[in-house]
Amino acid sequence: MRFRRRDLLRIGRDLRRASRGLRFRLTATYAALFVVLVVGAVWLARAQLSASLQTQATDSLDEDWTALKGSILRIERDPDSGAYEAYWYYDKDDPDETTVVLDIKKVLLITDSSGKAIQDHETQEPAESTIYQDLPQDRPAEIQARVRQWVSASKPGQAGKPFWMEKRDSSGELFLIRAAVIWDEHRHAPYYVALGTSLAKNEVILRRYSFMLFVGVLPGATLLGWLVGWLVAGRALTPVRDVAQAAQRITGSNLGLRIPSRNAGDELDYLILTFNRMIERLEASFRQMKQFSADVSHELRTPITAIRGQLEVALMTAGSTEQYREAMFNALQDIDRLSQIVRALLLLSQAESGQLALQRSRVDLGLVLEDLAEQFQIPAEGAGVRLAAHCQPGCFVDADRVQIERMITNLLSNALKFTPEGGEVRLSAQPLEGSVELVVEDTGRGIPAEHLPHIFDRFYRVPGSGTAPAPDQGLGLGLSFVAWIAKAHHGVIDVESTPGKGTRFTITLPAAGAAALPAEVSVSQ
Ligand code: ADP
């Protein structure tokens, strides 16, 4: 199989993508930690082993030294030549003693205080073993210094500190050397004795250990760490994948779906809960949007159907100019209603999307109420309803006068519309602590309890005697405006109504310069 450049690039891209994945990164972190821990532990064990091998070698040299100094070796003057020589005292017929002496003699150097090897009485050769000759030499000056140090440091009957050295022979074999100074039999002259042992076995053991560490433990730990990490990360991420799959199944058409909670009480459950709540909110606004578009199309269809019907009837049946005029007059009325709806909707959507900026100024609500009461006096009288305004001075708010007037006008025209002849509509305003309270109340037909929570919804009209809207019936948008204007001014609306007795709308707005009130709409009976 031949790899082309494109294939290699693709593989590179896939690997890069995989390495960015959470599972890969978790696994890599876990594996790295695991390897560091395992290798660290094995390395510590190696250091321990190395230390104990070293102690063994040191102990064995110490033992040899004690034997050597205690009984086996004496530096004595040769009776014939008068020169100092090394004498060995042991039973030559005892194989054990012979082995010990031979062992000691393997790596050995005995010199006088000037650093010159003295004669071995037994072999009549210089007391320097072949192995020692092959080691880097202790220079005479060094030996002299050590002897001087020893003599000055050691008090009679007290031993000085031994010197420890490590040396390699020409073939690379490592030796541990213990050197010290001993006196001749009669304490005439100090002698330098260096005794050694091979560390080759220790080195082999440690080298094998390191080999095992790098060839066995390191790759093994990496593989095991990666495998366990991959499995653990996979297990930990399974719920995340489930959540993602469940989330993918949720679309605009099945917003009722929820991600099932795992009841583990962990962070993931919290995420699922948050996600489900978000879907709930989305579902609510989807429902509202659907309802709104259904309402809008219904509202627009009704006058359009009416216009069409009137025009068709006129076309087919009208004979006189008078009849045509009447049909056109009715059609125009419906067209008016249509454009009212469109205008109101446009304004509402501008308001709700924040495009309608408030032009705030200091407004005395009492004065506004009194002005409006005056304006509505004539229609009120026409409907046979008494209209009165009672305003206290100092009802100042920081508000958009045009919007505030629109809000009160909507409430006032509703009150007049739903109050029968002989009834009463009262307007009042009074300053409270940090706020101003505005009341529009009437003695009209009231609103049944089941409808109260919906009256601020768009197109919501409390069903009256008939279902089809009469030409003078409102659009069901007035209170939506009232709610928006109150909210935009950080106000609170409260409605109380008793069917057959009347309705009371109370709007509390922050007084000029005071902090905002918590925005809410409350209804009560
Ligand atoms: P409309 O433009 O139809 O008046 P609104 O949003 O202003 O729409 O009001 C919604 C509904 O609330 C009205 O259709 C009416 O049934 C009811 N309503 C509002 N104000 C009053 C009131 N003062 N008395 C009785 N019913 C009211």
Side-chain angles (χ1 to χ4, degrees):
M1 195 168 114
R2 265 186 63 229
F3 273 112
R4 271 174 304 179
R5 198 178 127 74
R6 223 184 26 224
D7 296 328
L8 287 175
L9 280 177
R10 187 172 44 77
I11 291 172
R13 225 178 15 247
D14 288 352
L15 279 177
R16 263 203 308 281
R17 196 174 309 139
S19 69
R20 279 199 297 265
L22 200 54
R23 187 175 188 181
F24 182 92
R25 279 186 282 166
L26 279 177
T27 306
T29 313
Y30 179 85
L33 269 177
F34 187 72
V35 168
V36 167
L37 273 178
V38 171
V39 170
V42 175
W43 194 257
L44 263 179
R46 186 194 179 278
Q48 198 73 36
L49 177 69
S50 161
S52 79
L53 288 174
Q54 190 77 12
T55 313
Q56 266 176 28
T58 315
D59 287 352
S60 121
L61 266 186
D62 271 341
E63 257 174 44
D64 285 354
W65 182 267
T66 314
L68 182 100
K69 206 181 133 208
S71 53
I72 300 175
L73 176 70
R74 297 262 191 283
I75 315 291
E76 290 178 24
R77 203 188 280 265
D78 182 72
D80 302 330
S81 65
Y84 276 101
E85 289 184 350
Y87 284 80
W88 299 91
Y89 291 92
Y90 63 100
D91 184 357
K92 291 190 178 63
D93 297 330
D94 182 339
D96 286 347
E97 283 193 25
T98 314
T99 315
V100 170
V101 173
L102 281 180
D103 209 36
I104 288 174
K105 279 186 163 187
K106 252 189 209 161
V107 190
L108 182 71
L109 166 72
I110 307 173
T111 74
D112 58 20
S113 59
S114 70
K116 191 168 161 282
I118 63 162
Q119 188 112 329
D120 185 318
H121 182 75
E122 212 173 69
T123 57
Q124 290 300 305
E125 298 272 327
E128 182 172 19
S129 69
T130 333
I131 294 180
Y132 211 96
Q133 282 169 20
D134 193 22
L135 295 176
Q137 293 299 301
D138 304 13
R139 282 180 287 114
E142 225 172 334
I143 294 174
Q144 285 163 20
R146 281 178 189 169
V147 171
R148 268 201 307 279
Q149 191 184 334
W150 171 272
V151 171
S152 67
S154 74
K155 298 190 179 75
Q158 203 182 340
K161 262 191 173 176
F163 307 98
W164 290 95
M165 296 167 276
E166 282 191 358
K167 294 175 180 231
R168 278 188 198 279
D169 69 7
S170 55
S171 66
E173 186 174 340
L174 187 67
F175 289 88
L176 179 67
I177 312 290
R178 183 198 199 282
V181 175
I182 51 176
W183 296 94
D184 73 347
E185 183 65 0
H186 306 288
R187 296 185 67 82
H188 292 304
Y191 290 89
Y192 178 77
V193 180
L195 180 66
T197 183
S198 167
L199 292 179
K201 265 196 219 148
N202 296 3
E203 282 215 305
V204 169
I205 294 175
L206 288 176
R207 215 172 294 134
R208 272 199 207 133
Y209 200 93
S210 303
F211 179 79
M212 184 192 79
L213 174 65
F214 287 107
V215 175
V217 175
L218 190 64
T222 310
L223 200 74
L224 190 70
W226 193 271
L227 211 77
V228 174
W230 187 255
L231 289 177
V232 171
R235 265 183 79 92
L237 292 176
T238 305
V240 177
R241 221 182 11 251
D242 293 349
V243 170
Q245 278 169 359
Q248 262 173 10
R249 280 197 298 274
I250 299 174
T251 60
S253 52
N254 61 0
L255 276 173
L257 273 187
R258 292 287 177 275
I259 302 169
S261 170
R262 297 152 53 249
N263 292 324
D266 56 8
E267 288 83 354
L268 217 66
D269 264 358
Y270 182 63
L271 179 74
I272 293 174
L273 188 77
T274 314
F275 194 83
N276 281 344
R277 283 197 185 140
M278 187 187 81
I279 301 288
E280 247 161 56
R281 287 196 298 273
L282 268 179
E283 194 185 10
S285 37
F286 253 64
R287 213 181 304 123
Q288 232 177 347
M289 263 170 57
K290 273 189 196 161
Q291 184 63 42
F292 179 64
S293 43
D295 288 347
V296 170
S297 38
H298 175 78
E299 290 303 320
L300 296 180
R301 210 178 44 227
T302 315
I304 289 173
T305 316
I307 295 166
R308 188 190 167 86
Q310 282 151 11
L311 295 180
E312 271 175 2
V313 171
L315 262 183
M316 283 187 291
T317 60
S320 64
T321 319
E322 205 48 43
Q323 281 168 328
Y324 277 117
R325 279 180 70 88
E326 196 189 328
M328 287 171 96
F329 177 76
N330 289 341
L332 263 180
Q333 264 189 342
D334 281 326
I335 287 172
D336 272 352
R337 188 176 167 79
L338 256 182
S339 50
Q340 251 183 46
I341 294 177
V342 172
R343 246 199 328 271
L345 275 178
L346 201 68
L347 207 63
L348 203 58
S349 75
Q350 273 177 347
E352 285 180 353
S353 62
Q355 290 172 36
L356 210 71
L358 296 183
Q359 309 292 325
R360 286 178 185 269
S361 62
R362 196 177 157 86
V363 177
D364 188 341
L365 273 186
L367 289 185
V368 177
L369 271 191
E370 275 164 7
D371 275 359
L372 289 173
E374 223 175 282
Q375 280 178 37
F376 276 80
Q377 222 34 265
I378 295 171
E381 275 168 23
V385 175
R386 211 167 76 82
L387 173 62
H390 300 282
C391 301
Q392 290 180 20
C395 296
F396 291 107
V397 289
D398 197 10
D400 184 325
R401 190 185 173 103
V402 176
Q403 300 302 341
I404 289 287
E405 279 180 358
R406 173 177 281 153
M407 177 177 85
I408 301 170
T409 306
N410 281 353
L411 291 172
L412 189 53
S413 51
N414 274 350
L416 289 173
K417 192 159 63 179
F418 298 110
T419 303
E421 208 178 331
E424 192 182 347
V425 172
R426 283 185 298 272
L427 303 177
S428 65
Q430 58 165 332
L432 299 177
E433 206 180 319
S435 61
V436 174
E437 189 186 75
L438 174 111
V439 178
V440 179
E441 57 188 325
D442 60 62
T443 57
R445 73 175 196 198
I447 304 166
E450 67 271 26
H451 297 289
L452 266 185
H454 306 292
I455 54 173
F456 294 98
D457 296 349
R458 280 181 276 204
F459 296 118
Y460 196 85
R461 283 173 300 231
V462 177
S465 41
T467 43
D472 63 333
Q473 193 176 340
L475 304 173
L477 292 172
L479 286 183
S480 304
F481 264 114
V482 170
W484 174 78
I485 295 167
K487 192 175 156 204
H489 285 86
H490 306 291
V492 176
I493 307 182
D494 181 53
V495 196
E496 294 162 70
S497 187
T498 313
K501 287 210 165 154
T503 306
R504 176 189 165 99
F505 284 90
T506 309
I507 296 175
T508 316
L509 296 173
L517 301 170
E520 63 179 57
V521 171
S522 80
V523 290
S524 49
Q525 262 205 303

